[in-house]
Amino acid sequence: RIDRWNKFWNERRARVTADVRESGTRLGFSEKVFQNFDHLLTREYQEADSAVFSPFRKLFFDNHMIEKDGVSTVITLVNIASDKKANVVAQLELAGIHAFDRQMVTNLFVEYVHEDFNFIVTFTGFIVFAALLLMYGRIELTLITFVPMLITWIWILGIMALLGIEFNIVNVMVSTFIFGLGDDYSIFTVDGLLTQYQFGKKNLASIRTSILLSALTTISGLGVLIFAEHPALRSIAWISIIGIVSVFFMSQTLQPFLFRWLVTNRTSRGLAPMTALGIGKTIFTYGFFVIGSFLLTIVGLVLKLIPFGKRNVRLLYHSLLSFYTRLLVTLAPQLKVKMVGFNNEIFARSSVIIANHTSFLDILLTTMLHPKLILLTNKWVWNSPVFGGVVRLADYYPVMEGAEDSIDRVKDRVKEGYSIVVFPEGTRTSDGKMKRFHKGAFYMAEVLGLPIQPLIIHGADDSIPKGTIYLNSGYITLKFLPPIEPGDRTWGATYSERTKTIGKYFRSEYEKLTALEESPAYFQYRLFSNYLYKGPVLEWYMRIKVALEGNYRQFHELVPAQGKILDLGCGYGFLCYMLAFLSEERTVMGIDYDDEKIETAKHCYSRSERIEFAVGDVTSFPLATYDAIIIADVLHYLTPEAQQLTITRAVNALSPGGQLIIRDGNAELTERHQGTQLTEMFSVKILKFNKSTNALHFLRASEVKQIAATLNCSVEIIDDTKFTSNVIFVVRKQNES
């Protein structure tokens, strides 16, 4: 029809145009008239064509033709038998024609859905991880919460693959719902574990019950679709059942396991919880140790093949071993080692070196001292699969029944100038307390005619305690005492007597070194580790507070090393623990009206029978008798009347000669007092570390002196701050005559 119409119109147009030109020429028309006539004919054709053929074109052509950027695309339908489709598609592709069907479009649509879904899941995972890190403030808790969700998703994908379940637009939406439930279950479980760890509130059972009911409700609500006839609806049921079961299983098994492994299994044994940084440093240290042991074993076996110069070869191997252990101890990220009393004369001659034994580190610490050393080790060191080969190649000797049996073995090494390292306790101590010395080392020294060189090792047990391989941050001191000559009978006429007297002397020197080294800075790591995983704000506050207090050194120096100590307004108990760490002869009690702070202080792994906490008001709590009472940064929260009452009650509760230590802002120091008021504004109103229902009332030094005079007490004022008015008032109660 179109062809006939175009032929008719072209013939008509040619005839009419010829007639018009012939007539117009006779009449003298211009060329412009003829052009206008052509335009009229063209418009007439377009109007006629549109009226007659537009519906036809729209019906049969417009939906199958696309014109864009000068390119025309024609789409047509081809009926092909299913077994011929592949061949036809291949032939059309060669001709530059793209063939597709509904199945191909559907597959392409599903592929796009998968790509978008994978992007959304990945992006959402990053957002959830960042939110968890911000909420918990520790990468360890973030991983404990996030990793089970990640493993759950892997389980879901694996089980779906095994069952032949594919993603579609419907079950993709259900998957996001399951991912959200996984977030909730994981967060609830970790919060329950943290609450129990920090406050001792055992609500984990109720949380587990709630999660179980939620899982059962969700499974029963969506799982009923498994009876639907449509495959897409059945896939919703399957994914719901698989996902919820996996999420529930992970939240109830893997998360508690990881938390107990990282935290509570250690704190229940009095050990510091592990951190990601500590685990990384431990892996680095032990990895270096294992690799070095392996290499030294190979080198030792190669050196054994050398048929000459055995003495020099032996010394070379011992030099490599000493260098390696020294390098290991130096590179260990958590260790700081210093030596006291060391000089080259110690190893200029052979001797029997006796050292206390509290940690696995003792072997490395002694081996690094000098190449010419022979260690007497126990059976597990000799048979160790990691470094047992090094021990045997270095001619170290296992002591099964005592050092006496090793005398014949070490005689030749002594002649070569080697010293013998013996741990007289026989085994490592688990509590840091020195055990009774055995006689073997002293018998060996007497038989071989060697001097005894005492070596005190302090701090190794805090760095790697017995029963664990985790490396804590620690300060280690090696102290060499003066050697005891074999002919010096002041220590006893027989080796049995020398064992007792030297053992007593060794313990006495160890106690002196302990008193010298165990300063407030030494216990900083232990104090911090007691408050790990108790909230990012508390950890941040603790570190700043302890740093500003100088690790509470001043309070330690003012408080007696023996006796009962009371801390009124103890807060989270930082000061109480530090005072107890610094002296085992102190008993410390902390009082605070904030029950949350007290519960946090109570549930620290270092708490012992020497440390107590109680909730109470400092103005009314019943007081016993104490050798020292501390009221630090508390009195300005009380009214002037309550301040005087509290000071009076505290002084009356002191034993004769006891002292009340008050640390507070002195309002008489006008310029510096503004700094104190500023810090209190941050503490109370902005950061809200401390609670106050009253206006702040700061003390005046004259008021404290007046109250002390009324109570027949002396007052000493210690003012060593530069930017605040905080001073220390030491109120001493007079001894009874």
Side-chain angles (χ1 to χ4, degrees), residues 571-583:
Y572 290 102
F574 306 150
L575 175 58
C576 296
Y577 279 104
M578 182 60 79
L579 293 176
F581 293 158
L582 290 165
S583 176

Side-chain angles (χ1 to χ4, degrees), residues 24 60 71 116 233 285 295 302 339 380 387 429 542 549:
F60 292 100
V71 178
D116 291 342
L233 296 179
T285 303
L295 294 177
V302 172
M339 290 191 286
W380 79 268
F387 53 90
T429 58
M542 172 195 62
E549 295 285 358

Side-chain angles (χ1 to χ4, degrees), residues 33-69:
V33 173
F34 294 129
Q35 292 177 356
N36 291 335
F37 183 76
D38 285 338
H39 287 306
L40 289 174
L41 285 176
T42 301
R43 186 169 63 186
E44 179 186 358
Y45 170 77
Q46 291 174 345
E47 292 176 353
D49 183 79
S50 174
V52 176
F53 290 102
S54 285
F56 182 78
R57 283 196 178 95
K58 186 173 183 181
L59 177 64
F60 292 100
F61 293 99
D62 287 357
N63 290 333
H64 302 279
M65 300 178 65
I66 301 174
E67 293 184 347
K68 186 176 181 181
D69 298 332

Side-chain angles (χ1 to χ4, degrees), residues 111-234:
E111 182 180 344
Y112 289 155
V113 169
H114 282 182
E115 290 180 358
D116 291 342
F117 179 64
N118 292 332
F119 170 76
I120 291 172
V121 169
T122 304
F123 184 71
T124 305
F126 278 113
I127 293 177
V128 170
F129 187 88
L132 292 173
L133 184 61
L134 182 65
M135 179 175 66
Y136 290 122
R138 295 206 66 91
I139 187 66
E140 301 88 352
L141 296 178
T142 302
L143 291 174
I144 289 177
T145 308
F146 187 79
V147 167
M149 292 189 292
L150 179 63
I151 296 177
T152 296
W153 186 243
I154 295 173
W155 276 27
I156 292 174
L157 295 178
I159 296 175
M160 287 177 60
L162 292 175
L163 298 179
I165 303 173
E166 297 183 357
F167 277 115
N168 54 55
I169 189 62
V170 179
N171 58 33
V172 159
M173 293 185 290
V174 176
S175 299
T176 58
F177 169 69
I178 294 172
F179 191 80
L181 276 181
D183 288 346
D184 293 340
Y185 293 172
S186 299
I187 292 173
F188 292 156
T189 301
V190 171
D191 285 348
L193 292 168
L194 289 175
T195 300
Q196 183 172 337
Y197 175 65
Q198 181 174 358
F199 304 113
K201 298 179 181 178
K202 298 183 179 180
N203 57 356
L204 188 59
S206 61
I207 291 176
R208 285 179 166 175
T209 302
S210 301
I211 293 176
L212 175 61
L213 293 176
S214 173
L216 292 176
T217 302
T218 306
I219 290 175
S220 60
L222 295 175
V224 71
L225 294 176
I226 200 171
F227 300 107
E229 295 184 2
H230 198 284
L233 296 179
R234 285 201 303 272

Side-chain angles (χ1 to χ4, degrees), residues 170 182 219 241 248 334 361 415 417 434 469 482 506 515 531 602 640 669 690 694 708 725:
V170 179
I219 290 175
I241 295 173
F248 176 79
Q334 302 268 79
L361 281 173
K415 292 178 182 179
M434 200 174 302
I469 62 172
F506 198 105
Y531 294 89
K602 281 183 177 180
L669 304 175
N690 299 317
N694 305 317
S725 62

Side-chain angles (χ1 to χ4, degrees), residues 693-736:
T693 58
N694 305 317
L696 301 182
H697 301 278
F698 287 93
L699 293 169
R700 293 179 178 273
S702 57
E703 296 172 348
V704 176
K705 292 179 180 179
Q706 183 179 355
I707 297 173
T710 303
L711 299 172
N712 194 26
C713 296
S714 62
V715 178
E716 176 188 357
I717 300 178
I718 302 174
D719 183 3
D720 56 2
T721 60
K722 297 180 179 180
F723 304 106
T724 68
S725 62
N726 288 330
V727 299
I728 293 178
F729 302 94
V730 182
V731 181
R732 292 186 174 88
K733 189 173 184 179
Q734 301 297 324
N735 285 313
E736 295 180 355

